[in-house]
Amino acid sequence: MNFDHVNQELFAFLDHSPNAFYAVHNMCARLEQAGMTRLFEGAPWKLEAGQGYFVTRNDSAIIAFRIPKADYKGFQMMASHCDSPVFKIKPNAEITIDKQYVKLNVERYGGMICAPWLDRPLSVAGRVIVRTEEGIETKLINIDRDLMIIPNLAIHMNRQVNEGHKFNAQVDMLPLFCEKGEEKDEFAQMIASEAGVTAEDILDADLYLYSRTPATTLGLHNEFIASGRLDDLQCAFASLQGFIEAEPVDSVAVHCVFDNEEVGSGSKQGAAGTFLSDTLHRINSAMGRTEEEYLMSIASSFLVSADNAHAVHPNHAEKTDPTNRSYMNRGIVIKYSANQKYTTDAVSGAIMRAICKHAGVPCQTFANRSDMLGGSTLGNISQSQVALNTVDIGLAQLAMHSPYETAGAKDTAYLIEAARVLFSSSMEGKGDGNYKLTFS
């Protein structure tokens, strides 16, 4: 495997995907380059066997699929998410201080680590909704330069800062934008200029801060990578690459990337929404199959929920389970939880191990300490819409939910290969816990 080449492509994707809107935009471009046809939920779908397609919802979630034949056995799917903990800019954002400074009013999205957001260059990206003669139009904007900073309070004014600090999002985490000038609403004017419209034409916006620190390799032997948004764009990127490289034979390959996982997935574009169910039903209908055939195909389907995992921390190894510990560069992490925070059971875990073995990539296991609660993933949430065998996996990383995270330099390539094998394979249900696995 050419790990360096994979990481350079990953870095380009990460650096050009400051939030979910851009991640989906970039995946759409990659799929179009690969010859896939774009569909729209509000238009008829005319699907052909042997072709690939993709559809988006809310510009922040995407499902791509390839249909090898009309009488396919089932769906081989990998799902990840493209949102990350971040600060969203509120409406009426400008706050003037002492007639000298302008800072922006923001609120937290998801469960981020606040401290690393301070004292680093930031900018803003997202979407604006503008007025047109016929209605409204969406425009993506990214102020692609070092623009803002959230300054720390000097230690002379907070002598206890190194003894622990409780961050107040309304007080401590507001970014410095500019000096107060003569113009009013300079932030709105900047956004309008970037979108190529007047401020009066902007009806609404979803705008977010992002860290400007680019992705990089580090470690004595370049064995680690570091970037913002590794959770979970690292998995989304690997799933996309594996999907494009795959050669489906008997089952439909389905690449899913949802939004809003960091706040519970309970949106139309989240895993708890109907996006996946709607898409699978429309594939079934377009291929002239009955509802019973749909249910039969679900029984011969498999979902890999790919969301990064916690690596053993070099300074806090005691925070990890004694026997189920994952490490960077040791391969795909299969995640287990008795309370079903992760969906993996003996059946889905066994299938994932078979996929890894056929792909020739290492795998390892993770479980939380029995006295420590972990986070949930989109795998169990999606079961409310499409119930099927599901395994929860991830890639081991450090500093999850920081604006700058660390992972292994080999693991993205491992997941790409496992995804390629998954999307090229098929399974046939022979009754609960009994499946025929076919690898092309």
Side-chain angles (χ1 to χ4, degrees):
M1 297 180 184
N2 190 333
F3 299 114
D4 183 64
H5 176 73
V6 167
N7 287 328
Q8 292 308 311
E9 289 194 336
L10 171 65
F11 293 169
F13 177 68
L14 291 166
D15 289 344
H16 290 89
S17 300
N19 53 44
F21 300 119
Y22 275 90
V24 168
H25 173 78
N26 292 330
M27 283 186 277
C28 288
R30 183 72 181 87
L31 289 163
E32 287 178 339
Q33 290 173 2
M36 311 288 171
T37 300
R38 183 162 193 170
L39 304 170
F40 296 92
E41 289 196 284
W45 288 11
K46 295 180 180 179
L47 309 181
E48 297 180 9
Q51 300 299 313
Y53 304 88
F54 66 96
V55 60
T56 63
R57 180 176 284 187
N58 190 53
D59 289 323
S60 63
I62 185 169
I63 296 178
F65 55 91
R66 295 168 66 185
I67 308 170
K69 57 184 182 179
D71 59 339
Y72 56 82
K73 290 181 179 179
F75 302 95
Q76 296 292 84
M77 299 179 279
M78 183 172 286
S80 54
H81 67 89
C82 54
D83 61 319
S84 301
V86 71
F87 290 95
K88 185 176 184 182
I89 297 173
K90 293 181 180 179
N92 307 311
E94 292 191 13
I95 300 174
T96 300
I97 303 298
D98 292 343
K99 299 181 180 180
Q100 296 295 319
Y101 305 135
V102 177
K103 61 182 181 179
L104 299 183
N105 197 8
V106 301
E107 60 183 319
R108 293 191 296 183
Y109 171 91
M112 79 274 289
I113 304 173
C114 287
W117 280 90
L118 277 67
D119 300 330
R120 66 171 66 227
L122 306 172
S123 194
V124 60
R127 66 178 178 183
V128 295
I129 312 302
V130 301
R131 178 188 293 109
T132 68
E133 291 183 359
E134 297 181 347
I136 62 174
E137 180 183 1
T138 297
K139 290 180 177 288
L140 296 186
I141 64 106
N142 176 17
I143 310 299
D144 190 14
R145 67 179 180 90
D146 298 343
L147 180 66
M148 290 178 273
I149 198 165
I150 305 173
N152 245 310
L153 187 62
I155 194 170
H156 313 81
M157 300 175 182
N158 182 11
R159 294 288 183 179
Q160 289 74 44
V161 64
N162 293 323
E163 299 171 18
H165 181 76
K166 185 176 181 180
F167 289 94
N168 184 316
Q170 190 65 65
V171 176
D172 299 313
M173 306 309 297
L174 304 188
L176 175 64
F177 173 54
C178 66
E179 289 186 331
K180 178 62 178 174
E182 298 298 324
E183 298 290 331
K184 294 183 178 180
D185 299 323
E186 288 189 274
F187 179 74
Q189 295 291 342
M190 178 192 68
I191 296 301
S193 176
E194 185 69 20
V197 298
T198 66
E200 291 73 22
D201 285 332
I202 295 179
L203 300 176
D204 216 328
D206 291 313
L207 300 172
Y208 301 86
L209 299 185
Y210 72 94
S211 169
R212 295 281 296 166
T213 309
T216 191
T217 55
L218 42 82
L220 176 61
H221 306 291
N222 292 322
E223 62 264 55
F224 307 120
I225 61 174
S227 175
R229 303 173 293 281
L230 287 175
D231 173 27
D232 189 35
L233 291 186
Q234 187 181 15
C235 288
F237 171 83
S239 175
L240 177 67
Q241 292 298 108
F243 174 80
I244 291 172
E245 295 175 13
E247 296 180 358
V249 176
D250 290 316
S251 290
V252 180
V254 185
H255 161 76
C256 317
V257 183
F258 297 109
D259 193 8
N260 302 134
E261 191 275 342
E262 299 294 359
V263 291
S265 297
S267 63
K268 64 183 181 299
Q269 59 272 9
T274 63
F275 192 23
L276 179 57
S277 176
D278 292 347
T279 301
L280 299 185
H281 272 100
R282 291 185 76 163
I283 295 171
N284 185 80
S285 177
M287 292 293 102
R289 296 159 65 106
T290 67
E291 180 66 14
E292 183 176 36
E293 287 176 309
Y294 170 76
L295 297 174
M296 290 169 61
S297 69
I298 292 298
S300 292
S301 298
F302 191 60
L303 172 64
V304 176
S305 170
D307 196 355
N308 271 2
H310 300 294
V312 172
H313 195 288
N315 297 334
H316 295 283
E318 77 283 356
K319 295 291 187 180
T320 314
D321 183 73
T323 61
N324 296 282
R325 303 157 75 88
S326 57
Y327 299 89
M328 295 178 290
N329 291 316
R330 297 290 182 86
I332 292 165
V333 181
I334 303 176
K335 301 190 283 188
Y336 292 84
S337 172
N339 61 21
Q340 287 296 289
K341 289 290 186 178
Y342 308 132
T343 59
T344 310
D345 58 18
V347 174
S348 63
I351 295 172
M352 190 66 214
R353 291 174 192 275
I355 290 170
C356 290
K357 182 178 180 179
H358 189 82
V361 302
C363 63
Q364 52 187 325
T365 61
F366 173 85
N368 288 296
R369 283 176 56 103
S370 300
D371 56 359
M372 186 179 296
L373 291 176
S376 61
T377 68
L378 54 85
N380 56 349
I381 294 171
S382 67
Q383 298 296 302
S384 63
Q385 295 295 330
V386 183
L388 73 165
N389 272 317
T390 304
V391 64
D392 266 290
I393 68 155
L395 301 178
Q397 71 160 91
L398 299 171
M400 188 176 290
H401 290 196
S402 170
Y404 208 66
E405 302 165 322
T406 302
K410 296 180 179 179
D411 290 328
T412 306
Y414 289 150
L415 184 54
I416 290 172
E417 184 60 18
R420 185 194 65 79
V421 169
L422 166 74
F423 291 131
S424 302
S425 68
S426 64
M427 57 182 282
E428 186 175 354
K430 300 290 187 179
D432 289 346
N434 297 281
Y435 294 91
K436 177 183 176 182
L437 307 180
T438 303
F439 299 108
S440 60

